[in-house]
Amino acid sequence: MASIDEQFKKVQQLLAVAKPKLNTTQKLLFYGFFKQATVGKNNTPPPKKSDLSGTYKWNAWKKVENLSQDEAKTKFIELAKTFLPANSKL
């Protein structure tokens, strides 16, 4: 069985190829899990209120900041599986 880091990288590659159609909420879920998985806890100051895109992204990351990086990777992988073709090899 591949390590969580190997699975995380693989699923990112599969998503890049599959290019699933995602709505804004789904994109923000992926973003939050990805930032938590790769950076860790969100210790950045919130963006200016006029930066709506930045605010949505910041909030998505902030919502999952209590997950460990491995937990965030696992959540990212689980979410990705719902958008990848059934025959995708992880």
Side-chain angles (χ1 to χ4, degrees):
M1 178 113 181
S3 74
I4 190 74
D5 291 328
E6 292 168 334
Q7 291 177 52
F8 184 64
K9 287 178 185 174
K10 179 68 173 175
V11 81
Q12 289 175 66
Q13 293 168 347
L14 292 170
L15 285 170
V17 172
K19 293 183 175 43
K21 299 276 189 225
L22 303 174
N23 65 34
T24 302
T25 302
Q26 293 160 337
K27 289 177 187 176
L28 288 169
L29 278 172
F30 272 115
Y31 180 85
F33 290 140
F34 181 83
K35 290 295 280 186
Q36 185 65 21
T38 58
V39 178
K41 190 170 181 147
N42 182 351
N43 291 320
T44 63
K48 294 179 182 177
K49 298 251 187 252
S50 61
D51 180 3
L52 289 180
S53 176
T55 299
Y56 285 126
K57 289 178 178 181
W58 188 87
N59 286 335
W61 183 10
K62 199 73 172 162
K63 284 180 185 175
V64 298
E65 72 179 350
N66 290 325
L67 296 176
S68 72
Q69 286 183 282
D70 283 349
E71 287 172 322
K73 287 174 186 172
T74 299
K75 296 276 189 188
F76 185 95
I77 293 164
E78 290 171 359
L79 181 61
K81 285 179 180 178
T82 65
F83 295 100
L84 292 172
N87 64 349
S88 295
K89 301 280 187 201
L90 285 180

